[in-house]
Amino acid sequence: VYSLVSLHTDSFLFWRWRQLNFRDFEIVTATQGYGVLHKNENMDGKPIIVRGNLYSSGLATHAQSNILIRMKSNKKFFSGTCGYPDNAFGAEVKCEIFSQNRLIFVSNPLNNENREQRFLISLDGISELLLVVTSLKPDITAAHAVWVNLESRN
């Protein structure tokens, strides 16, 4: 006997139960130009997809945004990918990471053609990071960004 099970991946309930456990960091504060910070879903409440790749964990935000995170472990590096999700079109953003008001990472412009950029930063002496997304156009319509595959490691 076989049973057919159908899951709609855009289902609110399906994605809501897969909440990201931030084992490596905690979110201290989050502000953005429109809406609220989303965990494990894009700004429309659907799965995070960048360049056709599905990400089950991550943060979705809207420019102009500032997300302050505090590291929970004493690992040496923090890595991940910032991206312009596939469901957004027509905007252009850049992602930056600051520590103690010092710029330690800046992405190339992210847009319809260039959708993602990986990063690896040293955590030597760093306990908090500010993840920033800025619109490169005056209009912030569709100026979405995602932070995915976030982890600290040795």
Side-chain angles (χ1 to χ4, degrees):
V1 175
Y2 294 94
S3 296
L4 178 62
V5 176
S6 175
L7 290 176
H8 297 278
T9 57
D10 61 349
S11 165
F12 174 79
L13 294 175
F14 177 74
W15 288 99
R16 201 43 92 184
W17 70 266
R18 300 181 70 186
Q19 290 298 309
L20 180 62
N21 178 9
F22 295 118
R23 69 172 190 269
D24 295 339
F25 64 91
E26 65 182 329
I27 297 172
V28 178
T29 61
T31 60
Q32 57 191 52
Y34 178 81
V36 296
L37 181 66
H38 286 251
K39 297 177 188 175
N40 303 334
E41 60 189 22
N42 68 24
M43 291 299 294
D44 298 332
K46 295 183 178 178
I48 297 171
I49 301 173
V50 180
R51 291 187 57 219
N53 297 310
L54 174 69
Y55 293 93
S56 61
S57 66
L59 301 171
T61 189
H62 194 294
Q64 315 292 9
S65 74
N66 293 288
I67 306 166
L68 181 63
I69 63 172
R70 182 175 298 131
M71 306 312 296
K72 290 183 179 179
S73 62
N74 291 327
K75 303 270 176 111
K76 294 181 181 180
F77 298 97
F78 184 66
S79 64
T81 301
C82 58
Y84 185 61
D86 289 3
N87 70 315
F89 294 94
E92 187 167 46
V93 298
K94 72 175 174 180
C95 298
E96 300 170 311
I97 301 176
F98 291 84
S99 173
Q100 300 172 349
N101 294 322
R102 185 175 57 97
L103 180 64
I104 55 178
F105 166 79
V106 61
S107 73
N108 293 322
L110 302 175
N111 51 42
N112 297 349
E113 290 78 36
N114 182 35
R115 292 229 173 232
E116 66 182 355
Q117 187 168 348
R118 293 184 179 154
F119 61 86
L120 174 67
I121 58 174
S122 172
L123 291 175
D124 187 29
I126 295 174
S127 62
E128 291 185 342
L129 295 170
L130 182 63
L131 310 178
V132 175
V133 175
T134 305
S135 176
L136 297 176
K137 294 183 177 181
D139 181 6
I140 66 168
T141 301
H144 299 188
V146 294
W147 299 92
V148 295
N149 289 343
L150 301 175
E151 67 176 341
S152 57
R153 59 187 187 183
N154 285 321

